[in-house]
Amino acid sequence: MTETGEILVKVSRIHGLGVFAARHFKEGDRILEIDDSRVVTKENPLVKDKGEYETYCDYLAMGKVVLMRWPERHINHSCDPNSYVRAIGPVRYVYARRDCLAGKEITYDYCIDGGGDTVWQCNCDSYRCRKTIHSDFFHMPLDLQIEYLPLLSDWYIEQNQKKVDALGHRSDLWVPEPQGDAHDFW
C-alpha cells in the first residue's frame, strides 16, 4: 500500500491495484492532478522494460497519447463512478463526482471522452454495471451519454460536435437517477 495523505494505492476488488480516498472528498473536490508529461510518440515509444504498457495510456485531443503515471494509472473503471476528469488549461485533474468517504475506491468511467473499439468485461459490480464495456462514449446507453454530457472535456466536444449537439437536443427527455452512497457498493 502506498499513501500520499489524500489517497492510497492498494489492492482493489475491481482490478489489480486501485486508488482509494484517504480522507473524505466532497462533491466537486479536486482529488489529484494527472501527470501528462510522458507523451508517447513514434520517436518516444513505450519502453516495456521500464513498465510502460499500452494499458496505461490515455488518448487525448488531436491524437495525443500520454502514459498515465502513478497514482492515476491505478484509478479503475466503474459504471457508477464517483469521480471524473476535467481539463483546466493544459492540466487535467480528477474531481469528486459525488461525496467519497475515506476508504472508498476512487473510480471513473473510462468511456467518458472515450473512443476506439476496445471492448472488455467490467468487474465494477455496481448496480449500474453494463457488464460488457465498449470504449467509445457513443456506444454507451443513451441515458448515460446524456447524463455524462456535463463531464465531457472541451476537446472531446469539439472533436465530436455533431454527435454531442444531437445528444443535447435529446437531454430534455431524460431524468437523472439519484446519486449517492445508497448506490455505492465499495
Side-chain angles (χ1 to χ4, degrees):
M1 176 169 54
T2 307
E3 188 171 344
T4 68
E6 301 263 313
I7 58 168
L8 305 166
V9 176
K10 62 182 185 176
V11 174
S12 166
R13 290 177 26 199
I14 297 173
H15 176 77
L17 295 176
V19 176
F20 293 79
R23 68 169 182 86
H24 177 214
F25 289 97
K26 293 181 181 179
E27 180 180 344
D29 281 354
R30 184 183 295 173
I31 296 172
L32 62 91
E33 179 179 326
I34 296 176
D35 179 354
D36 286 336
S37 63
R38 173 61 169 92
V39 179
V40 180
T41 64
K42 286 182 181 180
E43 299 77 30
N44 194 15
L46 296 171
V47 181
K48 290 182 181 175
D49 291 345
K50 292 183 179 180
E52 298 180 347
Y53 299 100
E54 196 171 316
T55 55
Y56 292 139
C57 288
D58 208 354
Y59 301 85
L60 307 176
M62 308 300 289
K64 181 179 180 181
V65 179
V66 294
L67 179 68
M68 299 289 283
R69 310 294 252 183
W70 182 96
E72 60 267 13
R73 74 168 41 171
H74 298 296
I75 297 176
N76 283 313
H77 165 86
S78 174
C79 297
D80 188 27
N82 56 16
S83 75
Y84 64 96
V85 176
R86 170 76 64 210
I88 299 177
V91 181
R92 294 186 306 145
Y93 299 95
V94 177
Y95 287 95
R97 184 170 167 249
R98 62 175 175 264
D99 284 3
C100 184
L101 300 175
K104 297 285 185 184
E105 184 165 1
I106 296 166
T107 58
Y108 52 74
D109 192 319
Y110 289 178
C111 300
I112 297 173
D113 293 342
D117 288 317
T118 303
V119 177
W120 72 92
Q121 294 302 304
C122 185
N123 298 314
C124 77
D125 201 30
S126 76
Y127 81 104
R128 293 173 68 165
C129 186
R130 301 188 303 270
K131 306 296 182 213
T132 301
I133 307 299
H134 188 288
S135 60
D136 188 275
F137 176 81
F138 297 101
H139 276 81
M140 285 195 300
L142 179 60
D143 61 331
L144 282 181
Q145 291 178 46
I146 293 168
E147 177 183 341
Y148 289 161
L149 274 175
L151 305 180
L152 292 176
S153 296
D154 291 343
W155 68 265
Y156 190 82
I157 293 169
E158 289 173 19
Q159 287 184 195
N160 298 281
Q161 193 69 60
K162 287 182 183 179
K163 290 180 179 179
V164 172
D165 287 347
L167 285 176
H169 294 300
R170 299 182 78 173
S171 64
D172 60 337
L173 305 175
W174 176 77
V175 178
E177 291 185 35
Q179 299 295 313
D181 282 339
H183 300 295
D184 189 354
F185 294 103
W186 293 293

